[in-house]
Amino acid sequence: MHFEPKDVYRKLEFDKVIDLLEKEAHTVMAAEELRNLEPSIRFDEIDLQLREVREYKMALEKNDRFPLETFYDVRPDLRMLEIEGYTLQMESFQQILRILMMMRDIFKYFGSGPKKDIYPKLYDIIRPLSFDDGLIKAIMAVFDEKGEIRPDASPELMRIRREMQQKVRELDGRFRQIIQEYRAKGWLSDTPESFRNGRRVLSVPAEHKRKIKGIIHDESDTGRTVFIEPEPVVEINNDLFDLEHEEKREIFKILRDLSDQIRPYGSMIGAYLQALIRYDVIYAKSRVAIAMRANMPVLKEKPFIGIRKGYHPLLYLKNKASNRKTVHFDLKLNSENHMLILSGPNAGGKSVAMKSVGLMQLMVQSGLLVPMHELSEMGVFRQIFADIGDQQSLDDDLSTYSSRLQNARAFIEKATPQTLVLIDEFGSGTDPKPGGSIAEAILRQLHRKGVFAVITTHYSNLKVFAFRNPGILNGNMHFDKDTLSPTYELKVGRPGSSYAFEIAAKSGLPKEIIDYARNRTGSETAVDDILVELQREKQELEERLRSVLDKEQGLERLIKTYDSLHQDLEVKRKRLKLDQKEHELRQSANVAREVDKIVRQLKEEKNLEKAQQFSSQLREERAEKAKAVDEINAEVVRLEEQNTPSASSRPLAVGDYVRLRAGGATGKIESMKGQKAVVQLGELKVTVALRELLPAAEPIKQTSNITATDLQHAAAFESKIDLRGMSKEEAYKVLEKFVDNALLSNAAVLRILHGKGNGILRNFVKQKLREYGGSVSRVYHPEPDAGGDGVTIVELA
């Protein structure tokens, strides 16, 4: 990320946030990484870092202890270990052992329970690594719990230490005898023994030193006491001395062998160390996030600022320590409105709000959670420019205003639409009129470049410029006129006033002085008041316009919904009439046998003319009913085609999605032959006449969540199905899907047409419905004129 000027960290107080992070780190290595923390401009990298911190923060808040503690930097030891024959020191092995044991605990942490799924990003850090506790066993075979070399680290070391213990016991016994003997003679001091040059010696007054044979090792500062190794124990001490050297040589050999054993795993230990450092960095970030009550906002790839209930991180911590409330603010800047001109009285919070935006943007792009609502949205910027505070420089011979002009020139030259510009007290530092004009010209150029910006000012011409130009918002820090005190609330949409005269009156300035000042400013104050009023009226009109547009769109949706419902109702009405006519036609077919019987009787009675007349009349009635059925069926088809959004003039083809007229099931055409098609309905394939198919849109894949589409399907559920003409296997799956959809749609009554025939489908339907147990409350056949045994009515519980 590019900064202008280079001290943006200090101006936005990001360096103070880094100080907080360093204090929370367990290790020097993590603190060093945090000290060098830089914002990223890569979306995927920022998103990963934020998710890692959010997961660790979640673990801390749930008291789900992550096994991370203090560890040491073993990178110098690992570099030396690469040298063949190099032997690590005992302390180095202890530090490596600590790293290995911590990694073992982390692998166990993710290996128990669903931790991998709860904290997936934290687990991804060690996912590429593997762990074998062989190295731990190798080191623990040499060192005990206190970090000392174990007595049984090697057979030779066991022998040496056993002999040393024997010599020490022999030395103790001989020394006690000598002390008893010489103490009885009065030749020893009050403290009879001591150690000098690693040897056990007697403390002898100087006047008795010639009476005791042995080696003088030292004398006291006053010369009154001499430290003598008595002759009888010299040989024992010499043996101990030799054994100690043997012990050191054997320990070195053990450490050398252990170093050789660990050497091939140096890169793996280095990877473990890097993983622990990364966890430590994430730990420090999450600790600061908890202190700030910070969250992860919704991250966007393009520049965007959508802060909800945000507040300055450092100000919150300061107020928290003194039990004071911090006022949050909302701000949204996007490609349409990408600049904010912030005005209001001094000490009202303008600069704090502006710095908050910059600091939180730096934190987000550095992988830090920020104190704002989790539904906030933050984009990614490539540059941050900040002109804040007094930049007067004696070394560069620059005044405050000159330095501001230099910054402005750099901003204009280097700014892009991916730049966030922050300017405090824009235009100040020189004569107000030319200063305001220059500031307006700079603002105009930055606006043309499409930069995102938060700018504080007192100049009226900048507020007017913002009012007149789309893409620039006016904003103010709310000021309580009654108490003449700031509320620190950011209000976007209206410019603010400096309230200079009101504050002056409150401070005690004489009324005469304030009146004189009012007269001198006159029209300038009036412009501010008029601008505030115009902005208020503009905002109210925009809100009303949005309300009207919302209502107009809602009305259009209602009209479309009404038209759709009307079409559906008309189709259902026609279908009902079609069912009635088909029933009448079937009834007439059912009485055919009775007619034939009557005709035979008439023939037997030799009344041929009457028989012919009766038969002709019957044929005409059946023809009329069949014609009525065809007409109504054609009308239903026409209405359904009109009511099908995906219907088109082209004929159906293989691969098209279609809907069955009967039942409404949706499937895909697998193959076509003549006037029939094979349709895939889920796992079922059925052969259907083309006239019974309607074009349909590709069905939306189901998800585990209930969506608006699911509700629409439930509302459009057709509570009637026709199984006539299907085989038992086809009817099984179609009926099962039909009843399942009915239960999901909360349908009350179902109508299943299966025909009378030999009763196979009727019995099958009853058998299938028994499988639904308590979900089906009643199953029966309607009256004969409503279908009788050819129809099954199902009432659902």
Side-chain angles (χ1 to χ4, degrees):
M1 176 177 278
H2 179 66
F3 300 105
E4 286 290 342
K6 301 302 181 184
D7 61 346
V8 168
Y9 276 20
R10 181 183 60 81
K11 291 180 180 298
L12 296 178
E13 299 181 285
F14 187 58
D15 54 336
K16 295 182 180 179
V17 175
I18 290 179
D19 290 340
L20 294 174
L21 292 169
E22 285 188 81
K23 293 177 182 177
E24 295 293 346
H26 284 298
T27 64
V28 176
M29 296 85 75
E32 184 179 352
E33 286 205 8
L34 292 166
R35 170 54 56 187
N36 299 321
L37 186 65
E38 291 186 359
S40 173
I41 58 174
R42 292 176 50 195
F43 173 85
D44 53 349
E45 182 179 345
I46 299 169
D47 184 66
L48 175 60
Q49 292 180 9
L50 290 174
R51 292 181 185 276
E52 289 173 344
V53 179
R54 182 176 65 179
E55 289 179 3
Y56 208 124
K57 173 175 174 274
M58 185 193 311
L60 291 175
E61 290 175 335
K62 292 167 57 179
N63 290 322
D64 189 0
R65 182 183 173 277
F66 190 83
L68 182 69
E69 298 175 354
T70 303
F71 54 94
Y72 300 94
D73 188 1
V74 297
R75 287 174 293 190
D77 295 315
L78 295 178
R79 285 193 293 268
M80 295 302 296
L81 192 61
E82 294 175 0
I83 303 172
E84 196 66 32
Y86 180 81
T87 302
L88 293 174
Q89 300 298 314
M90 292 176 57
E91 294 79 5
S92 300
F93 283 111
Q94 292 301 308
Q95 293 170 2
I96 290 174
L97 178 62
R98 186 172 182 82
I99 289 172
L100 292 173
M101 295 180 73
M102 207 173 297
M103 286 301 297
R104 178 195 62 188
D105 293 342
I106 291 175
F107 272 93
K108 286 183 179 179
Y109 178 83
F110 286 111
S112 62
K115 299 290 177 65
K116 295 178 184 178
D117 300 323
I118 298 174
Y119 313 119
K121 300 304 178 184
L122 292 180
Y123 177 66
D124 285 345
I125 295 174
I126 63 167
R127 190 187 296 273
L129 304 176
S130 59
F131 187 82
D132 182 359
D133 59 359
L135 286 180
I136 293 180
K137 292 178 180 178
I139 297 176
M140 292 294 289
V142 173
F143 294 92
D144 59 18
E145 293 78 4
K146 297 180 180 179
E148 302 293 336
I149 300 292
R150 298 172 63 91
D152 58 349
S154 73
E156 180 64 16
L157 184 62
M158 287 181 66
R159 181 194 66 79
I160 294 171
R161 290 192 171 177
R162 189 164 51 246
E163 291 185 10
M164 289 177 66
Q165 290 173 357
Q166 292 174 355
K167 288 295 181 182
V168 169
R169 285 195 296 269
E170 183 181 351
L171 179 63
D172 286 342
R174 192 74 184 95
F175 221 83
R176 282 195 297 270
Q177 293 175 0
I178 293 172
I179 288 175
Q180 289 176 1
E181 179 184 349
Y182 291 162
R183 180 177 282 169
K185 294 180 180 180
W187 292 353
L188 299 179
S189 303
D190 294 337
T191 305
E193 62 177 300
S194 182
F195 276 90
R196 288 295 186 273
N197 300 324
R199 297 210 173 209
R200 199 168 178 180
V201 295
L202 298 172
S203 299
V204 182
E207 61 268 22
H208 300 303
K209 69 180 180 179
R210 302 295 180 187
K211 300 175 183 178
I212 299 176
K213 292 182 179 181
I215 300 171
I216 298 175
H217 282 275
D218 198 5
E219 64 179 21
S220 64
D221 293 338
T222 60
R224 294 179 180 179
T225 304
V226 179
F227 300 99
I228 301 173
E229 181 182 6
E231 192 176 63
V233 300
V234 171
E235 189 63 28
I236 300 175
N237 273 330
N238 287 339
D239 292 342
L240 272 175
F241 184 77
D242 291 340
L243 288 171
E244 287 172 356
H245 277 76
E246 285 185 43
E247 181 190 37
K248 289 180 181 178
R249 286 193 295 271
E250 181 60 22
I251 288 175
F252 179 80
K253 180 177 178 296
I254 293 170
L255 295 180
R256 184 186 61 197
D257 293 342
L258 186 58
S259 298
D260 292 339
Q261 190 175 353
I262 289 179
R263 184 171 288 109
Y265 302 97
S267 59
M268 184 184 72
I269 298 171
Y272 288 166
L273 179 63
Q274 289 304 316
L276 291 176
I277 293 173
R278 185 169 174 186
Y279 279 128
D280 197 9
V281 169
I282 297 170
Y283 166 79
K285 289 181 176 181
S286 60
R287 289 276 298 175
V288 171
I290 291 175
M292 293 180 177
R293 289 178 56 197
N295 295 301
M296 176 182 171
V298 178
L299 193 64
K300 292 179 170 289
E301 293 191 48
K302 295 183 179 180
F304 189 91
I305 293 175
I307 299 173
R308 295 187 183 185
K309 296 183 178 180
Y311 40 81
H312 194 289
L314 299 175
L315 179 63
Y316 171 76
L317 293 179
K318 179 182 177 182
N319 290 341
K320 180 181 175 183
S322 57
N323 293 321
R324 296 173 60 188
K325 180 183 176 182
T326 305
V327 180
H328 59 74
F329 68 94
D330 296 347
L331 177 62
K332 183 177 180 180
L333 297 179
N334 51 30
S335 56
E336 295 179 359
N337 295 311
H338 52 91
M339 302 182 80
L340 174 68
I341 301 299
L342 192 54
S343 52
N346 289 323
K350 298 190 304 296
S351 298
V352 172
M354 177 203 61
K355 288 182 178 180
S356 299
V357 175
L359 179 56
M360 286 192 282
Q361 189 63 50
L362 282 176
M363 290 176 66
V364 167
Q365 293 190 223
S366 299
L368 295 169
L369 305 186
V370 281
M372 61 176 66
H373 195 277
E374 58 188 8
L375 293 180
S376 301
E377 299 172 296
M378 298 294 281
V380 178
F381 291 88
R382 291 184 171 272
Q383 302 183 117
I384 293 182
F385 298 166
D387 186 356
I388 300 171
D390 187 0
Q391 301 171 69
Q392 185 175 14
S393 173
L394 297 177
D395 294 335
D396 298 331
D397 194 25
L398 288 175
S399 66
T400 299
Y401 189 64
S402 298
S403 66
R404 285 183 174 274
L405 292 179
Q406 283 198 1
N407 286 339
R409 184 189 65 188
F411 293 177
I412 292 171
E413 289 176 354
K414 301 176 182 179
T416 68
Q418 288 79 40
T419 303
L420 175 62
V421 176
L422 307 168
I423 303 178
D424 193 24
E425 301 294 349
F426 194 27
S428 64
T430 188
D431 186 276
K433 288 189 177 181
S437 300
I438 293 173
E440 183 176 331
I442 295 170
L443 176 62
R444 175 171 170 268
Q445 194 64 25
L446 291 175
H447 178 237
R448 287 182 173 180
K449 282 184 168 282
V451 304
F452 282 66
V454 179
I455 298 172
T456 70
T457 187
H458 289 288
Y459 286 173
S460 298
N461 64 309
L462 299 184
K463 304 175 195 176
V464 173
F465 185 85
F467 177 77
R468 291 176 175 172
N469 290 271
I472 309 180
L473 299 172
N474 265 309
N476 74 89
M477 303 306 296
H478 185 254
F479 191 80
D480 192 330
K481 294 181 181 180
D482 298 329
T483 62
L484 294 179
S485 59
T487 63
Y488 306 109
E489 296 177 10
L490 173 60
K491 302 289 185 181
V492 177
R494 303 179 188 178
S497 170
S498 64
Y499 293 100
F501 298 122
E502 291 82 354
I503 295 174
K506 184 181 179 182
S507 66
L509 278 180
K511 184 175 181 302
E512 179 183 355
I513 294 176
I514 295 173
D515 290 342
Y516 179 83
R518 283 185 185 277
N519 291 332
R520 294 292 298 169
T521 55
S523 59
E524 294 181 9
T525 305
V527 169
D528 255 7
D529 294 339
I530 293 171
L531 180 60
V532 170
E533 186 62 24
L534 284 174
Q535 190 77 55
R536 183 187 63 78
E537 293 178 358
K538 178 184 177 184
Q539 190 174 4
E540 288 177 356
L541 287 173
E542 288 176 346
E543 290 175 355
R544 289 182 183 178
L545 179 60
R546 281 194 295 270
S547 177
V548 169
L549 290 175
D550 290 342
K551 291 178 180 178
E552 185 177 322
Q553 292 173 357
L555 181 60
E556 289 178 358
R557 287 193 296 269
L558 286 174
I559 292 173
K560 289 180 180 178
T561 302
Y562 172 78
D563 290 341
S564 176
L565 291 174
H566 179 72
Q567 292 277 3
D568 290 343
L569 183 62
E570 186 66 18
V571 169
K572 290 177 180 178
R573 189 177 66 81
K574 292 290 184 181
R575 274 194 168 278
L576 181 60
K577 187 174 181 180
L578 176 62
D579 291 342
Q580 293 173 347
K581 291 296 181 181
E582 286 178 341
H583 176 68
E584 292 175 2
L585 186 60
R586 286 193 299 272
Q587 288 293 101
S588 64
N590 290 336
V591 299
R593 289 187 296 271
E594 298 293 331
V595 172
D596 290 341
K597 185 177 179 181
I598 294 172
V599 169
R600 282 196 299 271
Q601 291 176 355
L602 292 174
K603 286 181 179 180
E604 290 173 358
E605 295 173 359
K606 306 297 184 180
N607 195 348
L608 294 177
E609 183 179 350
K610 188 175 181 181
Q612 289 175 352
Q613 182 180 357
F614 186 79
S615 178
S616 175
Q617 181 182 355
L618 182 62
R619 283 197 300 271
E620 288 177 1
E621 289 178 358
R622 292 187 63 187
E624 288 177 2
K625 290 180 179 178
K627 182 179 179 182
V629 167
D630 290 341
E631 289 176 353
I632 297 173
N633 189 48
E635 180 67 14
V636 170
V637 170
R638 184 184 64 79
L639 289 173
E640 283 183 330
E641 289 177 348
Q642 289 178 355
N643 203 28
T644 303
S646 58
S648 60
S649 58
R650 71 174 181 82
L652 295 174
V654 174
D656 287 350
Y657 284 91
V658 292
R659 179 166 59 86
L660 301 183
R661 294 186 189 277
T666 301
K668 185 177 181 181
I669 297 178
E670 293 291 322
S671 62
M672 296 177 64
K673 187 175 181 180
Q675 294 300 311
K676 292 188 176 182
V678 176
V679 180
Q680 183 79 42
L681 299 174
E683 298 180 357
L684 173 69
K685 287 186 179 180
V686 295
T687 302
V688 188
L690 291 179
R691 65 176 180 274
E692 295 298 322
L693 299 177
L694 291 172
E698 181 179 354
I700 298 173
K701 292 182 179 179
Q702 293 182 351
T703 63
S704 60
N705 296 325
I706 297 176
T707 62
T709 306
D710 298 324
L711 297 176
Q712 291 170 3
H713 287 171
F717 174 74
E718 182 68 50
S719 61
K720 184 188 74 173
I721 189 170
D722 191 348
L723 303 179
R724 291 172 299 177
M726 294 186 186
S727 67
K728 187 175 180 181
E729 289 75 19
E730 291 176 340
Y732 177 86
K733 293 191 176 181
V734 171
L735 178 62
E736 184 176 62
K737 184 176 181 181
F738 172 71
V739 179
D740 289 346
N741 288 337
L743 292 172
L744 291 174
S745 303
N746 293 323
V749 180
L750 306 180
R751 182 181 176 89
I752 303 173
L753 279 70
H754 44 67
K756 294 181 179 180
N758 53 15
I760 294 177
L761 278 181
R762 179 174 66 250
N763 294 332
F764 158 75
V765 168
K766 291 182 178 179
Q767 180 183 354
K768 181 64 180 176
L769 290 173
R770 291 193 193 102
E771 296 178 5
Y772 288 88
S775 299
V776 176
S777 62
R778 185 184 177 197
V779 178
Y780 61 93
H781 299 297
E783 296 297 328
D785 59 350
D789 293 344
V791 178
T792 296
I793 305 298
V794 183
E795 292 181 1
L796 299 178

